[in-house]
Amino acid sequence: MSLITTEASPSLSLIENGGGSDKRTAELSRSNRRTVQNLSATSLMRNRSDLKLISRVRWEFMKRMLTNLQEVLLGTKLFLLFPAVPLAVVAHRYGCPRAWVFALSLLGLIPLAERISFLTEQIAFHTGPTVGGLMNATCGNATEMIIAILAVGQRKMRIVKLSLLGSILSNLLFVLGTSLFFGGLSNLRKHQSFDRRQGDMNCILLFLALLCHTLPMILRFATEAAGGSATNATNVLVVHPTRNEDGSDVLVLSRASSFLMLFAYLAFLIFHLFSSSLTPPPPPPPPQREEEEEDVYDDNVSDKEEEEAVIGMWSAILWLITMTLLVALLSDYLVSTIQDAADSWGLSVAFIGIILLPIVGNAAEHAGAVIFAFRNKLDITLGIALGSATQIALFVVPVTVLVAWAMGIEMDLNFNLLETACLALSILVTSFTLQDGTSNYMKGLVLLLCYIVIAVCFFVSNSPSAETSTTNHTLTKR
């Protein structure tokens, strides 16, 4: 995800730990030197390793190798899902039903995505907070980017756009809605507030991304309308071609917008990494009871116990490369079998791409956001949900467009009318929900209901399942 926390950013450190001006909280957050996503996705999903048995091994090399294996493979509560990775490979190799390959690949991506976040955190311990923050900003949504690029390579543009759009909608409505709903129910007698500046910044960037997605669609409609049509004496529709009917202007606009979105995302990173000291300090939090303060301190103490790196830097890099290759392999299986899974399960590709893939693929990150909402740490929850949505909209999407351009494949930012409308309404609803800086379970319920309506819409949608690119639209000429 995209929210960066560094030692040079005390205000962001406070935001990461639930806001407030408490000196002890600030010191703990600065000493931990952790990004928001790493704190949520790895700390909460991590199992404490018992190295007593490994410590009895005489050979130092063997001891390090066993320690790395235990920390990486067994150091997560999701380790039970790791067998799905080799099972997916075996199922694909021996010609099992392609729907099984899709399901196993989807399950295997859950622990792999969580481990990528863990390994990024381990590298950050050795490289420092700035480099670690940049790495996290790049690798935060590595799974979505890999799936998108592999789908582009297979020229399945519809899957690319559906999966990216689904990730944004999932973070804005499902993750944030679930967190606010259950967090509100578990803190009915507590005041729930968060730093509005974090939500305002992310919402502004999301509106910029929405503008870049909307204009290519509007330009497409304007170009087709400008072509004009007439009816001859035999009542045959005649379409007069224009120079833009091949979609070249839409493609140029999309690529230019992609560069601008990447520039905006780079400015966003620079602002958090180097310029946040110019930001005024956050307002003091409302008075809280001693019970709540004790809970917050207990959480921070438990986090502090895990502040040291558990594996070496080069070991973490090698494991990160290995996990990324496995994610690429399973993502290739997903892209290749999604159509067969849709036909086998009686679901549309749109429903699987927008609803199923994002929910299952980012289950670990979603669980972290909900757990922090239970602890009444809404600033961290917002950092996970809004930060991830902003990263996908302003980084992953334009990178995918530019990678497709480099591969000689035409991909634009026209996500079609229904998809773009869902994106626009979701950003609007989220912005209105966060505008007063307070939270309750009713706001979360509304966001969840909006997500359910969108899910039902794509479930009953009769859109064609054949994967076609929006750039190959042509008009019949007479």
Side-chain angles (χ1 to χ4, degrees):
M1 62 152 281
S2 57
L3 187 58
I4 308 302
T5 303
T6 67
E7 288 180 326
S9 307
S11 62
L12 290 177
S13 298
L14 291 172
I15 290 176
E16 177 183 348
N17 286 273
S21 57
D22 190 276
K23 183 178 179 181
R24 178 181 177 184
T25 304
E27 291 175 353
L28 287 171
S29 62
R30 284 193 293 267
S31 64
N32 285 342
R33 307 189 329 182
R34 306 168 89 164
T35 61
V36 172
Q37 182 185 14
N38 287 335
L39 179 61
S40 62
T42 62
S43 300
L44 299 179
M45 293 296 166
R46 183 178 169 189
N47 280 331
R48 295 183 180 274
S49 300
D50 186 3
L51 303 178
K52 293 181 180 179
L53 185 60
I54 297 178
S55 62
R56 299 178 182 177
V57 179
R58 297 181 180 180
W59 299 280
E60 187 66 23
F61 174 78
M62 183 66 66
K63 183 186 298 185
R64 290 182 181 179
M65 186 173 64
L66 292 176
T67 300
N68 289 341
L69 285 173
Q70 181 165 343
E71 290 291 349
V72 175
L73 299 182
L74 301 180
T76 173
K77 298 176 182 178
L78 301 173
F79 73 94
L80 292 176
L81 295 177
F82 270 119
V85 178
L87 288 177
V89 177
V90 172
H92 180 268
R93 175 66 178 83
Y94 291 97
C96 293
R98 295 174 67 84
W100 292 13
V101 178
F102 178 85
L104 290 172
S105 301
L106 195 58
L107 291 176
L109 284 176
I110 297 177
L112 291 177
E114 190 273 335
R115 289 289 86 184
I116 287 179
S117 296
F118 165 76
L119 294 169
T120 303
E121 176 189 6
Q122 295 301 306
I123 296 175
F125 281 124
H126 297 282
T127 59
T130 300
V131 176
L134 290 173
M135 285 191 60
N136 185 70
T138 305
C139 303
N141 289 285
T143 304
E144 289 86 349
M145 183 180 297
I146 292 173
I147 292 176
I149 292 176
L150 289 175
V152 166
Q154 299 183 22
R155 299 181 182 270
K156 296 184 177 181
M157 301 304 169
R158 181 166 171 76
I159 293 179
V160 176
K161 296 180 178 181
L162 290 175
S163 63
L164 295 178
L165 175 66
S167 297
I168 299 174
L169 298 181
S170 174
N171 281 287
L172 291 180
L173 300 180
F174 180 73
V175 178
L176 187 58
T178 304
S179 301
L180 297 185
F181 179 71
F182 288 105
L185 291 179
S186 63
N187 297 277
L188 283 174
R189 298 182 180 180
K190 298 179 182 179
H191 178 79
Q192 289 191 287
S193 62
F194 51 85
D195 190 350
R196 288 176 50 190
R197 296 172 303 157
Q198 181 183 166
D200 291 343
M201 176 62 69
N202 283 277
C203 288
I204 291 174
L205 294 173
L206 287 173
F207 276 116
L208 171 63
L210 176 62
L211 178 66
C212 294
H213 283 80
T214 305
L215 289 181
M217 181 188 66
I218 296 176
L219 180 61
R220 164 68 68 183
F221 290 152
T223 299
E224 293 178 356
S229 61
T231 304
N232 61 13
T234 59
N235 293 325
V236 176
L237 183 64
V238 179
V239 180
H240 301 288
T242 66
R243 68 178 181 88
N244 298 323
E245 69 176 7
D246 60 349
S248 59
D249 281 4
V250 175
L251 203 57
V252 171
L253 175 60
S254 298
R255 290 168 178 172
S257 299
S258 297
F259 281 112
L260 294 177
M261 286 192 288
L262 287 177
F263 176 78
Y265 185 70
L266 178 62
F268 177 60
L269 295 182
I270 294 175
F271 173 78
H272 278 301
L273 288 171
F274 306 110
S275 305
S276 57
S277 58
L278 303 177
T279 306
Q288 297 175 340
R289 296 179 305 194
E290 295 182 1
E291 304 173 351
E292 189 173 347
E293 294 178 357
E294 292 178 0
D295 292 340
V296 173
Y297 293 149
D298 290 340
D299 292 337
N300 286 333
V301 171
S302 64
D303 292 336
K304 189 175 179 180
E305 293 175 358
E306 301 178 8
E307 66 180 68
E308 298 297 332
V310 294
I311 60 177
M313 177 177 176
W314 292 109
S315 298
I317 292 175
L318 291 176
W319 276 109
L320 181 61
I321 295 174
T322 302
M323 293 295 175
T324 303
L325 293 176
L326 290 176
V327 168
L329 178 64
L330 296 187
S331 300
D332 184 59
Y333 292 167
L334 279 180
V335 175
S336 302
T337 59
I338 186 173
Q339 185 64 57
D340 300 280
D343 296 337
S344 177
W345 298 342
L347 300 174
S348 65
V349 174
F351 180 82
I352 294 179
I354 289 183
I355 305 300
L356 190 58
L357 279 179
I359 291 179
V360 179
N362 289 322
E365 183 179 281
H366 297 175
V370 175
I371 292 175
F372 275 110
F374 266 105
R375 298 179 180 179
N376 202 16
K377 295 185 177 182
L378 295 181
D379 288 300
I380 303 180
T381 297
L382 291 181
I384 295 172
L386 293 181
S388 183
T390 303
Q391 186 185 60
I392 295 172
L394 286 180
F395 180 72
V396 179
V397 171
V399 165
T400 305
V401 172
L402 298 179
V403 168
W405 185 14
M407 297 169 63
I409 300 174
E410 295 183 347
M411 177 183 173
D412 59 24
L413 293 175
N414 179 11
F415 278 32
N416 295 332
L417 180 59
L418 177 61
E419 288 82 352
T420 306
C422 291
L423 176 63
L425 295 175
S426 299
I427 295 175
L428 286 173
V429 171
T430 303
S431 300
F432 287 131
T433 301
L434 304 177
Q435 64 181 349
D436 62 350
T438 62
S439 173
N440 53 65
Y441 70 89
M442 190 62 200
K443 291 184 176 181
L445 179 61
V446 171
L447 293 179
L448 279 176
L449 293 178
C450 292
Y451 189 72
I452 293 174
V453 171
I454 293 176
V456 173
C457 174
F458 285 101
F459 180 80
V460 302
S461 174
N462 293 324
S463 57
S465 58
E467 312 307 331
T468 57
S469 171
T470 57
T471 60
N472 61 3
H473 180 78
T474 56
L475 296 177
T476 304
K477 308 180 187 67
R478 297 278 304 200

